[in-house]
Amino acid sequence: MSLLLLGRWLPAERDHWLHLLQSVMPDEQWLLAPPVNPAEATEVEVAVVANPEPGSLAGLPKLRLIQSLWAGVDRLLQDLTLPPDVPLARMVDPAMNESMAHTALWAVLSLHRGFFELQAQQGRAEWKAPQQPRASEWRVLVLGLGELGGRVAQSLAAQGYAVSGWSRRPAVLAGVHTLHGEAGLAEGLAQADTVVNLLPLTEQTRDFFDAPRFEAMKPGASLVNLARGAHVLEVDLLAALDGGRLSRAVLDVFRQEPLPVDHPFWRHPRITVLPHCAAQTDPRSAAAVVRANVLALRAGQPLQHLVQRHQGY
């Protein structure tokens, strides 16, 4: 079985991934792309990918599995040349789940305790202690209850926050009050002090946070976007912040990355910018996830974390 590794990354990053993948699968034949000659292309059965260039996965007649190294697959699904009948698996990395939970906890804790405002006070040499509500009095709504969202919601609940989780269809999650559908979304948005977005990016969730959505949120609430930049209409977010509808936004993802140096988000007093670093795939644990799916493919066993293409995740 030939395995193809391809993506948009620097040579050193690619070599690091290759070293780790070879260390857990030393008997596999690994090919790097580009280039792959036509003879090699006919033998590729598994493509391990990190946002490859569109068209990169065409012309592989024996391809049996596309394994993404990233959790999000929206860019992959935009490639119209993606073989339609080849299973596509997204990355569910336990270490990345933990990192996302840590970032969400930092953001919610900082919003709950007013730490962003305290940082601004330091610049003004202003000594003023904020109020200190209990965690149980701070309502958090987590949008999206997949692997990442579910882990985040349970982690916040374990710290004593009043956590609700929303998904389009009914879900059950230990320790979390779950909501679903449009009625559940309206209820959650109206009550939450902080909304944490971990929705997948689909045609239904693109531009999810627009002016009407901000109007549906509790006055003075805050937004933590850890999912995709295209979930948020930036002009509407700025208007909601400037008009006092929202108190603050913590943003890790943006429509254009890197964020342009002249973008208003950089200098807005109520926006905290992170350079898409909330949770990165850990190559050490991700290599083991890839190995498990390759072994399952070879043994004819069910593959893990397959993408439902019609749903977009």
Side-chain angles (χ1 to χ4, degrees):
M1 180 183 293
S2 292
L3 287 78
L4 178 66
L5 179 65
L6 71 160
R8 283 181 271 190
W9 42 29
L10 297 173
E13 185 181 10
R14 180 201 64 189
D15 293 345
H16 181 54
W17 273 103
L18 180 61
H19 170 72
L20 289 170
L21 290 166
Q22 287 177 325
S23 70
V24 298
M25 292 179 281
D27 298 327
E28 304 292 351
Q29 178 184 357
W30 286 93
L31 304 173
L32 297 177
V36 173
N37 64 51
E40 291 176 329
T42 61
E43 299 302 317
V44 171
E45 295 184 57
V46 178
V48 181
V49 303
N51 286 338
E53 294 290 345
S56 301
L57 293 169
L60 304 173
K62 292 185 179 179
L63 190 62
R64 299 168 59 196
L65 171 64
I66 303 168
Q67 173 67 62
S68 175
L69 293 176
W70 305 154
V73 292
D74 45 284
R75 293 180 185 175
L76 264 175
L77 293 176
Q78 291 172 6
D79 183 357
L80 298 180
T81 70
L82 201 69
D85 299 325
V86 177
L88 168 61
R90 62 189 180 88
M91 175 54 61
V92 176
D93 173 18
M96 181 171 63
N97 291 353
E98 289 303 301
S99 294
M100 186 65 83
H102 295 158
T103 299
L105 177 58
W106 161 81
V108 170
L109 179 62
S110 298
L111 292 162
H112 154 223
R113 294 291 302 275
F115 292 156
F116 293 118
E117 287 74 17
L118 291 175
Q119 185 178 27
Q121 285 180 198
Q122 179 180 345
R124 302 190 297 267
E126 181 180 331
W127 186 280
K128 182 181 178 182
Q131 292 183 339
Q132 187 173 309
R134 297 178 179 180
S136 60
E137 298 171 331
W138 196 265
R139 293 181 175 272
V140 181
L141 174 65
V142 178
L143 298 177
L145 294 178
E147 293 283 344
L148 289 171
R151 180 70 188 91
V152 164
Q154 290 184 313
S155 177
L156 291 168
Q159 296 300 317
Y161 287 102
V163 180
S164 296
W166 179 84
S167 54
R168 290 198 175 275
R169 290 175 293 277
V172 177
L173 195 62
V176 175
H177 174 58
T178 55
L179 303 165
H180 70 276
E182 291 302 317
L185 178 61
E187 176 187 336
L189 290 175
Q191 296 178 353
D193 297 292
T194 297
V195 175
V196 180
N197 178 39
L198 282 165
L199 291 169
L201 181 62
T202 67
E203 288 308 307
Q204 290 71 41
T205 64
R206 188 178 299 275
D207 301 333
F208 186 88
F209 288 99
D210 56 8
R213 196 80 69 189
F214 292 131
E215 283 296 317
M217 291 172 66
K218 179 179 179 178
S222 51
L223 172 66
V224 179
N225 187 19
L226 306 177
R228 285 288 184 263
H231 282 131
V232 177
L233 280 175
E234 296 179 348
V235 172
D236 290 1
L237 173 60
L238 289 169
L241 288 166
D242 292 340
R245 184 70 195 183
L246 295 186
S247 61
R248 177 168 286 275
V250 179
L251 308 175
D252 181 58
V253 287
F254 307 91
R255 288 179 177 265
Q256 182 179 348
E257 295 183 5
L259 191 65
V261 294
D262 59 348
H263 198 287
F265 283 176
W266 283 115
R267 286 162 289 279
H268 197 286
R270 288 183 293 282
I271 292 179
T272 298
V273 170
L274 305 178
H276 203 148
C277 64
Q280 300 167 329
T281 300
D282 187 322
R284 295 165 294 181
S285 50
V289 174
V290 174
R291 178 180 182 272
N293 252 359
V294 170
L295 294 179
L297 180 69
R298 177 177 283 122
Q301 297 175 347
L303 301 172
Q304 298 297 309
H305 314 306
L306 291 180
V307 173
Q308 303 301 315
R309 296 197 191 195
H310 65 283
Q311 293 181 353
Y313 57 92

